[in-house]
Amino acid sequence: IRRAQRLCDMRGLSYAQNTLDSFMNAAIDAALAMQTMVLAAESLGLGCCCISQVRKRLTEMANLLNLPNGVFPIAGFVAGWPNEERDISQRLPSSIVLHQDKYDDSNLSSEIDKYDRRRHEARPLRNQINSSKYGTASFYGWSENVARRLAENSDLDNLKNFLTARGFDLT
């Protein structure tokens, strides 16, 4: 929101768009820009990694980057020349990601089960998250790993506090 606030200041107007929608627009624009950077870098043969862990250290990152109010770190981005050949992580099938005319996840369970098996064959997960709490699964696929991670409270609860302290209204 900083640039928008400054534009209004430059023209003698008060900024009235400090809203959740403006925040979403900024986050989506940043994600689109990052995806464009990934595509451009990969077209040149570079390897890329987007680092969401930045959001677990918001204040530290904002201080490191000297970010003013109205600016927030969304993710890190690394690009470089790969020194090894790696397989590409399998993505969820389009049958559960894309919806035509209406949202329909009636096939989610069967499609996730198939995806779990395919992904496990290519790259099995070795460490089970919090097995002392959830037990040890006989088959530990991607969806079990994700469900266990999502069943735990995230330390990203500080995101709203961070954003509010940095000038975001989010109403």
Side-chain angles (χ1 to χ4, degrees):
I1 64 171
R2 181 173 173 82
R3 183 182 321 119
Q5 289 172 327
R6 295 208 51 218
L7 286 172
C8 284
D9 286 345
M10 289 167 45
R11 300 298 177 238
L13 301 171
S14 60
Y15 180 70
Q17 296 296 316
N18 190 2
T19 62
L20 182 57
D21 185 58
S22 291
F23 172 80
M24 288 295 298
N25 278 335
I28 291 166
D29 285 351
L32 291 170
M34 183 174 285
Q35 181 60 38
T36 301
M37 289 170 37
V38 167
L39 292 172
E42 287 180 346
S43 75
L44 298 172
L46 291 164
C48 301
C49 182
C50 302
I51 306 169
S52 62
Q53 294 295 311
V54 162
R55 292 187 306 279
K56 287 190 174 186
R57 297 179 159 183
L58 290 165
T59 301
E60 184 179 341
M61 292 304 301
N63 291 339
L64 176 70
L65 300 170
N66 197 28
L67 299 179
N69 281 354
V71 178
F72 62 97
I74 189 170
F77 179 78
V78 179
W81 301 108
N83 65 358
E84 65 179 308
E85 230 10 80
R86 292 283 312 254
D87 62 325
I88 296 173
S89 292
Q90 293 182 30
R91 299 295 181 210
L92 291 170
S94 60
S95 59
I96 56 177
V97 176
L98 299 175
H99 304 273
Q100 187 171 343
D101 297 328
K102 64 179 181 169
Y103 188 93
D104 178 11
D105 64 0
S106 59
N107 65 345
L108 182 65
S109 183
S110 63
E111 290 295 318
I112 288 292
D113 185 52
K114 289 187 261 184
Y115 173 73
D116 274 343
R117 301 285 174 193
R118 278 193 314 273
R119 187 172 169 137
H120 183 76
E121 286 178 25
R123 189 187 294 175
L125 297 167
R126 306 262 185 248
N127 299 317
Q128 297 190 20
I129 293 174
N130 207 346
S131 57
S132 61
K133 181 176 180 179
Y134 302 114
T136 302
S138 58
F139 175 76
Y140 191 74
W142 170 86
S143 64
E144 178 69 23
N145 188 65
V146 169
R148 288 184 184 197
R149 188 169 36 88
L150 294 174
E152 298 294 318
N153 285 331
S154 170
D155 60 353
L156 289 178
D157 292 339
N158 70 4
L159 178 60
K160 183 176 181 181
N161 294 335
F162 173 84
L163 292 171
T164 301
R166 312 253 329 157
F168 291 87
D169 186 14
L170 305 179
T171 55

